[in-house]
Amino acid sequence: MKIIYAIVLCMLVLSCTQQKPEVIVVEEESLSGTTLASLGEEKLSAYGFFKGELKNLEPAEGVIHYELNSPLFSDYAYKKRFIKFPTGTFANYSADDVLDFPEGTVLIKNFYYPADFRKPDENIRILETRLLMLEKGTWIALPYIWNDEQTEAYLDVSGKNIDVRWTHDDGTVKQVNYSVPNMNQCKGCHLRGDRVMPIGPTARQLNGSIRGEQKNQLEHLAALGLLHNLPPINTVARLVDYDNATEQLDLRARAWLEVNCAHCHRHDGPAKTSGLHLLADVKNPFELGVGKPPVAAGRGSGGLNYDIVPGKPEQSILYYRIKSDDPGVMMPELGKKLVHEEGVKLIEQWIREMR
């Protein structure tokens, strides 16, 4: 019987508003008696999500490609997402949360880097595939790591660090020691209350088209019979693409904050006690951090007094933390080793123009 030990993770963690350092320890956990086979398939190919060469990620029948209007920043990794509905099932519309998926649904997210971001469809290296599987009413997170040959991905619950180099959009060479999370770390972002939940496929994230296509994704799912109770599309809220400079600055900044921060900073998230709530539909400026002092003092505040000071990003804790790559200061706490330079500039401009 194979014994699996979860990684011991010790991190200094500071919430956006709790400034006293807190040591969070994921204790070594013996899964004695547990085999990988009891968690899921050993090989990604065994699920049959894709046809042809696995690395092409061409969806098999019944597997639906989708994109989010505003994706989470993950050290500049590209992502390709799919949903597998069990035959004969469908999701129900939800106005303000992830869609209500049926038992047996699988959400499939592939993380990859093109060698040259100016040619995003060429020389792709896939690093990992994460599955979220709804089984007996519980979402199970399973990480698969791709081999160097790009012929297969294998279930690996312990995580892995992988060196990656690429040519960025501006022609500069970037690199990162990319981290595939272990199973416990998956919960760091996906935990809502005491349940693991998907983050991305909300109605307002899917209220748009896949890049290069015209069909609205929600209407397409409804036309396929995979989404029920969709109201008229013009009544459905939409999260804008924060990279789209033609959209309003406020909408772009709020979209960035929602996808990068609100999985914790929401009324039912792990950072709910901070009082900082960053979903895009929050209306109360104080909940957004405007003029709001942190709940405790500490290094994470940078000696600053308020989460957001209108017109003064350099005096705002929120800006101070998202532009940091210090593990004891940076936000988000997990899923990044690089600063999202474009996102930081967006939030800086948003705060600077705030009155």
Side-chain angles (χ1 to χ4, degrees), residues 4 7 32 46 65 100 148 158 169 183 185 192 229 233 247 253 278-279 292 333 342 349:
I4 304 170
I7 285 179
S32 179
H65 177 211
D100 182 14
D148 292 338
S158 59
D169 296 312
M183 287 186 67
Q185 288 173 310
R192 294 263 299 277
N229 303 311
I233 200 66
E247 298 281 5
L278 297 174
L279 287 169
K292 176 186 169 306
E333 298 169 339
E342 297 81 0
Q349 182 183 2

Side-chain angles (χ1 to χ4, degrees), residues 10-286:
C10 300
M11 296 181 63
L12 284 176
V13 176
L14 299 172
S15 77
C16 277
T17 52
Q18 288 179 321
Q19 301 168 344
K20 182 177 181 179
E22 176 185 1
V23 177
I24 291 181
V25 178
V26 178
E27 295 182 354
E28 187 176 76
E29 179 182 2
S30 172
L31 300 179
S32 179
T34 301
T35 65
L36 288 177
S38 71
L39 299 173
E41 299 287 353
E42 178 188 1
K43 298 180 180 180
L44 180 64
S45 60
Y47 291 101
F49 296 141
F50 306 109
K51 58 185 179 182
E53 282 190 85
L54 193 62
K55 67 179 182 181
N56 293 334
L57 302 179
E58 185 177 354
E61 184 176 354
V63 178
I64 308 298
H65 177 211
Y66 72 99
E67 289 184 359
L68 304 182
N69 292 340
S70 270
L72 171 73
F73 174 74
S74 304
D75 284 339
Y76 291 105
Y78 281 60
K79 298 164 190 170
K80 199 162 188 177
R81 298 173 168 86
F82 302 88
I83 306 173
K84 175 70 170 68
F85 289 88
T87 302
T89 66
F90 57 85
N92 278 300
Y93 172 79
S94 175
D96 55 6
D97 210 331
V98 293
L99 302 181
D100 182 14
F101 288 105
E103 178 75 14
T105 296
V106 184
L107 303 178
I108 308 155
K109 186 162 59 173
N110 304 279
F111 294 70
Y112 66 95
Y113 286 82
D116 188 335
F117 279 19
R118 297 166 299 184
K119 301 174 183 177
D121 297 324
E122 300 178 10
N123 296 319
I124 288 170
R125 180 186 179 191
I126 310 172
L127 301 184
E128 58 161 324
T129 296
R130 301 179 192 174
L131 305 183
L132 268 180
M133 312 174 74
L134 184 56
E135 298 180 349
K136 298 180 182 178
T138 299
W139 287 98
I140 308 296
L142 295 179
Y144 287 77
I145 299 178
W146 284 69
N147 59 12
D148 292 338
E149 295 78 16
Q150 299 284 277
T151 56
E152 188 60 86
Y154 297 88
L155 178 60
D156 191 329
V157 298
S158 59
K160 186 177 182 180
N161 292 319
I162 305 171
D163 288 324
V164 184
R165 289 169 59 92
W166 71 94
T167 301
H168 205 58
D169 296 312
D170 59 3
T172 62
V173 175
K174 287 185 178 289
Q175 62 183 15
V176 68
N177 185 232
Y178 180 91
S179 290
V180 178
N182 62 52
M183 287 186 67
N184 285 325
Q185 288 173 310
C186 292
K187 296 176 183 177
C189 291
H190 285 276
L191 204 61
R192 294 263 299 277
D194 59 353
R195 296 189 304 157
V196 170
M197 291 286 292
I199 297 172
T202 62
R204 57 187 177 209
Q205 279 274 28
L206 298 174
N207 187 9
S209 59
I210 290 176
R211 289 159 182 80
E213 299 184 7
Q214 298 297 319
K215 291 180 293 190
N216 180 283
Q217 296 184 93
L218 292 173
E219 292 182 316
H220 180 56
L221 286 174
L224 294 174
L226 297 174
L227 177 61
H228 287 195
N229 303 311
L230 177 66
I233 200 66
N234 60 358
T235 67
V236 178
R238 179 177 68 93
L239 203 66
V240 306
D241 176 359
Y242 58 71
D243 278 333
N244 186 350
T246 67
E247 298 281 5
Q248 295 178 30
L249 174 62
D250 181 67
L251 297 179
R252 294 173 60 208
R254 295 296 302 275
W256 191 92
L257 290 172
E258 170 161 325
V259 299
N260 287 286
C261 308
H263 47 276
C264 288
H265 286 282
R266 54 191 295 158
H267 289 285
D268 56 353
K272 61 184 179 182
T273 57
S274 71
L276 188 66
H277 300 144
L278 297 174
L279 287 169
D281 58 358
V282 170
K283 305 297 184 186
N284 184 345
F286 190 78

